[in-house]
Amino acid sequence: MSIFPKDFLWGGAIAANQAEGAWNIDEKGVAITDTTQHGIAKNEHDEEVLPNTFYPSHEAIDFYHNYERDLELMAEMGFKCFRTSIAWTRIYPTGEEESPNEKGLHFYDCLFDKMLALGIQPVVTISHYETPLALHKKYNGWENKKLISLYIKFCKTIFERFGDKVHYWMTFNEMNNTQTIPYAAAAMDLSGSYSHQLSQIYQAQHNMYVANALANKLAKEIMPDAHMGIMLSLSQAAVYPASPKPEDVFGALQLQRRTFVSSDVQLKGCYPGYVKRIWDEYNVKLDITDEELDLIKKYKSEFLAFSYYRSSTFEDGMKIYGDTGGVVGKPNPYLKNSAWGWPVDPLGLRWMCNLVQDRYDCPMFIVENGLGAVDKISEDGKIHDKERSDYLKKHLKQIGEAIKDGCKVIGYTWWGPIDIVSAGTGEMNKRYGFIYVDRDNDGKGTMKRMKKDSFNVYKEIIETNGNCLF
């Protein structure tokens, strides 16, 4: 018998802003990502697109014009699904237009039609670090409740247009990253005292919880058979205490709760007690209404999708910061690091699956997991990326163990099955893909695609439904 379910969703994942390019083509508006030169995770950005300035995402890998061939390569690997996002600014360039941009809608019609023709299910993140820049400048992003209605207008448009083609949806990408990279996750800048910054963070998260509930409500009305999920970074929650010292152990728990508050609210339907203590102790001031709490309680999400790249360790008193990979903690002497300093911890992924199962007993979808590495073309003209293949196999084996533990894992999409621009650093040389793209950090290259050795490794895994791992 196969360990992985027969209908397991094998695939890969990208984000529109890291792959599509075509940043100002066909009436697309400017997104927050379009003003970042060195990745969106640094919370550093220009107020406008500056002339004569290189922005890696502006051309990216030009998936916008190459998606047909790229998807054919995904189908050759045997993909059952492909996760991408719908760039908000392709549909509503500033977010406040009354009518959607038909050219943007047409592109996604063609994209989803190509996937379906290849037997690949579209999996869509509605908002993946692509908030219109105009909404950041006018409202400071999700700090303002005005974004709720604008987001729901966007949802209504894409649900009505693509509801018969897309059946798996996630409302926001890594919403819990509002805690560490607020510009990316919530399109806002923090200011003032620590108390005020916490108020901004929790208000933005609350506004997204309300938007998530309203999107779930709308989906039930327009797409009764759709599956609506949330998406979080569980690398932020994969925190070990640095020692048995009680303060380290309890501090690690508190750090985990910064992530689990988002899933507690959206999967259980109410705020947990521990977050209310934080609000009291730090004098956090929020605008929360009874009507909004009723919506959150009534329209919960169905599944938890998550990213997992690494674990971290917490020591009492340490300063907490993070990036797109998760919390950056104390060095773990039991783990090896990637070329970018990320600890490689496959067992941590099984641990996260079990935590989710015990806490929520809901379906889970691992929609980001991967290894950023330096790839070199060998003398034989090929890329022998054994490190990536080993990372893939070790993590998938632990997912299999989690399934044997009773975890309801419905799918797995490797992050960046084709090389794309790094969200964390803006680099192309930090490569995740099974497919190489000839483009460097300065935007030079032919854009030619080439299979790496890992391409066939993943192909065999999918062909055997994971049986070759055991």
Side-chain angles (χ1 to χ4, degrees), residues 297-309:
K297 184 176 182 178
K298 187 173 182 180
Y299 298 104
K300 297 187 286 290
S301 295
E302 175 184 345
F303 68 92
L304 173 58
F306 64 88
S307 60
Y308 174 86
Y309 294 100

Side-chain angles (χ1 to χ4, degrees), residues 167-179:
H167 301 294
Y168 286 91
W169 301 83
M170 290 160 279
T171 46
F172 296 94
N173 181 68
E174 298 178 331
M175 182 193 300
N176 57 309
N177 278 352
T178 303
Q179 298 271 356

Side-chain angles (χ1 to χ4, degrees), residues 137-289:
K137 296 175 70 173
K138 186 173 181 179
Y139 301 111
N140 200 28
W142 281 95
E143 183 181 7
N144 194 306
K145 289 191 177 188
K146 177 65 176 176
L147 264 72
I148 297 173
S149 60
L150 297 175
Y151 176 84
I152 295 303
K153 177 181 67 176
F154 174 42
C155 287
K156 186 173 189 294
T157 298
I158 61 177
F159 289 171
E160 290 177 344
R161 183 69 170 244
F162 309 124
D164 60 339
K165 301 176 183 181
V166 180
H167 301 294
Y168 286 91
W169 301 83
M170 290 160 279
T171 46
F172 296 94
N173 181 68
E174 298 178 331
M175 182 193 300
N176 57 309
N177 278 352
T178 303
Q179 298 271 356
T180 50
I181 46 176
Y183 183 69
M188 70 178 182
D189 294 324
L190 302 183
S191 61
S193 66
Y194 184 61
S195 174
H196 183 258
Q197 291 182 13
L198 280 181
S199 298
Q200 289 179 292
I201 288 169
Y202 283 107
Q203 186 66 61
Q205 287 185 315
H206 174 76
N207 294 341
M208 286 190 274
Y209 301 154
V210 176
N212 178 77
L214 288 169
N216 291 343
K217 178 178 184 294
L218 189 65
K220 288 180 181 294
E221 296 166 356
I222 298 174
M223 312 175 296
D225 297 328
H227 303 290
M228 296 296 295
I230 59 170
M231 193 281 187
L232 303 177
S233 167
L234 290 198
S235 298
Q236 300 280 14
V239 182
Y240 303 120
S243 77
K245 181 182 176 183
E247 288 79 5
D248 290 355
V249 174
F250 195 76
L253 170 65
Q254 289 182 306
L255 189 53
Q256 279 189 331
R257 284 171 162 177
R258 293 203 326 185
T259 289
F260 286 129
V261 61
S262 291
S263 43
D264 284 350
V265 172
Q266 295 173 103
L267 294 173
K268 293 183 176 181
C270 60
Y271 276 98
Y274 60 79
V275 75
K276 297 174 183 178
R277 175 172 179 169
I278 293 172
W279 297 344
D280 289 342
E281 292 185 350
Y282 290 94
N283 195 31
V284 172
K285 304 297 184 184
L286 302 175
D287 177 8
I288 297 177
T289 69

